[in-house]
Amino acid sequence: MGNLPGGRAHFPIAARETTTVQHILDAIQADDTSAEDFANLELPQSYRAVTVHKDEVDMFEGIASKDKDPRKSLHVDEVPLPELGPGEAFVAVMASAINYNTVWTSIFEPVSTFGFLERYGRESSFGARHNLDYHIVGSDLSGVVLAVGPGVTKWKAGDRVVAHCLSVELEAPDGHNDTMMDPSQRIWGFETNFGGLADVAMVKANQLMPKPEHLTWEEAASPGLVNCTAYRQLVSANGGNMKQGDNVLIWGASGGLGGFATQYALNGGANPICVVSNEEKAQIVRNMGAEMVINRSELAPQFWNEEGTKQNPKEWQRFGKAIRELTGGEDIDIVFEHPGRETFGASVYVTRKGGTITTCASTTGFMHEYDNRYLWMNLKKIISSHFANYRESWEANRLIAQAKIHPTLSRTYKLEDTGQAALDVHHNKHQGKVGVLCLSPEEGLGVKNAELREQHIDKINLFRGI
């Protein structure tokens, strides 16, 4: 059938490429492959990747967001290996994971991500590599370095790694105090191409971090985006700056973000007040160690009218009363906000005088509404938080490697089932984090520190219900 514009191929993988990829997998699974052996491996000219297509951005026009089906827009294509630039690395991806940004990409909301790729393409000749008629998605990975570009000295072929999703150029001064402030800051696999839902990924070398070796490939891949996001939003001085004794309201406390926020609150001596949607999720956070839990299916707060056009302050008050019944009369010091539109008015209301609402994501809607009197007259603060800088990401991954914070993986899919995985996240049918096997042929591989794993196996498996 030949290649479509931009190099996207729609024909079976060539035997030579299959053999090359198999040689890479064999080297990874062998115990005695040296760094020199990895450096001498032949790179595939093409590889499998999950993509969205530029000529399909209007496919869901006129369809309600909840009815848009990622299974129709996410494709597994054979794509050419891009040119490797200075400061970059190719990684053989053993496993990846699903984040809300992949869901947004797949339903082309709030905007098509091809606009991000086009803007990147105008910046430089290296940026132009990303501006294709297909977008390889995915912002998490665990795997093995295959090759590094000029100027990379910290990492080498054969290193077992995970990647955070902050992509920056760092040519402007703005980002040198906090890399999230770099004007060229992007989220890899969302605002860049060549993401992690693939057999091979291309990353900035400064995205790489050591793989936690007590975890499997799929477990190690799953914390990435959400763990680092939760760390900055709640723990870092750039976010909530949480301290011991703080009352922390955590929306979706058993979810991808909330599962890590709950762990950070517990580890940091704070008091998490965990909001969940059903009893199964309530039991998960109790098993994590949380004692104060609000089950929305039981409390049934109706923050909005049926039309979704007007909020009900009396329901904010009822929600605040439920919180104070748990805390012994105390209000919330920090709100860990990510649902957005549905909950934001209540979040502002229940925060104590001088307290903080930290916000990211807005999974229920980006247009927030709240009564400014409760913010302004009570000196509350709203702090925006977006992913994490390199240092924050490194610290968050270090805590995973030390088994002080644990992955929240609940289920793993094969690469060809990524559309179904994204649909499950889109419809909130998941717990914690949903993983995807890429090169890894099965679950359970990649562990090198079995002793540490055994010490924490119950926490590692908590979200699986094992």
Side-chain angles (χ1 to χ4, degrees), residues 77-402:
D77 289 331
E78 180 76 1
V79 299
L81 193 72
E83 174 192 0
L84 188 64
E88 295 178 339
F90 285 139
V91 180
V93 184
M94 296 300 282
S96 185
I98 302 295
N99 294 291
Y100 270 99
N101 67 11
T102 294
V103 175
W104 295 330
T105 302
S106 71
I107 63 175
F108 307 107
E109 287 190 9
V111 295
S112 162
T113 53
F114 287 99
F116 301 145
L117 304 185
E118 290 165 4
R119 284 194 290 275
Y120 199 6
R122 291 193 291 267
E123 283 194 6
S124 67
S125 59
F126 285 108
R129 296 169 301 165
H130 295 256
N131 184 16
L132 301 170
D133 71 340
Y134 59 92
H135 184 184
I136 304 169
V137 296
S139 299
D140 286 321
L141 71 73
S142 65
V144 176
V145 176
L146 291 176
V148 297
V152 178
T153 59
K154 183 176 178 62
W155 304 99
K156 64 182 182 304
D159 286 342
R160 293 158 60 95
V161 295
V162 293
H164 67 77
C165 64
L166 172 61
S167 174
V168 291
E169 308 302 322
L170 282 182
E171 292 187 307
D174 311 56
H176 284 263
N177 186 46
D178 176 4
T179 43
M180 286 302 297
M181 298 300 176
D182 191 286
S184 65
Q185 176 270 320
R186 295 177 173 86
I187 298 300
W188 160 72
F190 179 60
E191 295 166 297
T192 81
N193 220 320
F194 315 119
L197 285 163
D199 287 341
V200 179
M202 187 172 74
V203 298
K204 305 280 190 187
N206 59 19
Q207 291 177 238
L208 299 176
M209 303 181 293
K211 175 188 174 291
E213 293 293 21
H214 67 294
L215 300 179
T216 66
W217 294 115
E218 61 274 11
E219 291 163 354
S222 66
L225 184 149
V226 286
N227 180 38
C228 300
T229 299
Y231 183 93
R232 180 180 176 108
Q233 186 176 348
L234 186 57
V235 179
S236 169
N238 289 313
N241 202 18
M242 184 191 74
K243 67 182 185 302
Q244 293 184 53
D246 279 345
N247 292 321
V248 181
L249 180 66
I250 302 172
W251 292 101
S254 71
L257 274 173
F260 286 101
T262 300
Q263 291 186 69
Y264 281 119
L266 290 167
N267 282 11
N271 309 310
I273 295 87
C274 297
V275 184
V276 295
S277 60
N278 57 49
E279 182 55 34
E280 181 183 3
K281 294 180 178 181
Q283 191 57 52
I284 286 176
V285 296
R286 291 191 190 103
N287 291 343
M288 293 170 71
E291 297 178 354
M292 293 182 282
V293 182
I294 294 176
N295 184 340
R296 292 186 70 181
S297 65
E298 295 177 356
L299 184 66
Q302 299 295 319
F303 297 141
W304 291 82
N305 62 13
E306 291 185 1
E307 295 77 25
T309 57
K310 186 176 181 181
Q311 296 193 69
N312 185 353
K314 289 186 178 179
E315 288 293 274
W316 299 346
Q317 294 169 10
R318 189 165 73 91
F319 184 61
K321 181 180 179 181
I323 291 171
R324 288 191 292 274
E325 287 174 354
L326 292 173
T327 62
E330 295 184 346
D331 288 322
I332 296 298
D333 296 285
I334 304 171
V335 180
F336 187 84
E337 242 293 345
H338 54 95
R341 177 176 171 81
E342 181 183 343
T343 58
F344 203 82
S347 292
V348 170
Y349 179 83
V350 301
T351 305
R352 71 164 178 82
K353 188 170 186 176
T356 301
I357 304 98
T358 62
T359 177
C360 77
S362 299
T363 53
T364 66
F366 304 98
M367 298 301 290
H368 297 185
E369 294 182 21
Y370 62 91
D371 188 329
N372 195 49
R373 291 172 298 177
Y374 297 112
L375 184 83
W376 149 51
M377 297 182 70
N378 290 289
L379 303 172
K380 304 176 186 182
K381 299 178 288 294
I382 296 174
I383 296 179
S384 60
S385 187
H386 181 40
F387 189 60
N389 63 35
Y390 189 8
R391 182 65 186 181
E392 291 160 342
S393 298
W394 188 277
E395 292 295 334
N397 185 65
R398 177 171 171 263
L399 292 169
I400 295 281
Q402 292 178 346

Side-chain angles (χ1 to χ4, degrees), residues 213-215 219 403 406 447-461:
E213 293 293 21
H214 67 294
L215 300 179
E219 291 163 354
H406 305 285
V447 175
K448 285 204 168 183
N449 189 341
E451 182 179 355
L452 182 61
R453 179 181 183 82
E454 187 60 31
Q455 294 173 24
H456 299 279
I457 192 64
D458 290 344
K459 294 292 187 182
I460 293 169
N461 285 330

